[in-house]
Amino acid sequence: MDEIPRQQVGTDLPSVLAEYGHLAAQLPGASRRGAEALRARLAELDELIDEHIARLSGPRETDPVSGT
């Protein structure tokens, strides 16, 4: 299990979330080497999810009350 095969072809948010959930569910039963590969792919998916959320959120405005 050197490389984790892609579970989803699409890069849309629902596909990425589905792949993330599928791979995360495999972690408890994975060998050490398999877990490393799973974590590496999960990290890639994390970045994709963050990008999707940033796009959906749009530009952040400063809160006039808290200044953040």
Side-chain angles (χ1 to χ4, degrees):
M1 186 183 246
D2 291 335
E3 187 176 319
I4 302 300
R6 304 280 194 268
Q7 299 298 316
Q8 303 291 330
V9 175
T11 57
D12 59 296
L13 185 55
S15 295
V16 173
L17 291 171
E19 182 177 356
Y20 190 97
H22 176 77
L23 295 178
Q26 295 178 35
L27 267 175
S31 66
R32 177 173 284 194
R33 180 178 229 170
E36 288 174 12
L38 285 169
R39 285 188 190 96
R41 180 61 182 150
L42 288 169
E44 293 172 2
L45 294 171
D46 259 343
E47 290 180 22
L48 284 174
I49 292 167
D50 287 345
E51 290 171 12
H52 278 287
I53 291 171
R55 261 186 257 123
L56 292 171
S57 299
R60 246 182 98 155
E61 295 181 21
T62 303
D63 181 356
V65 174
S66 67
T68 60

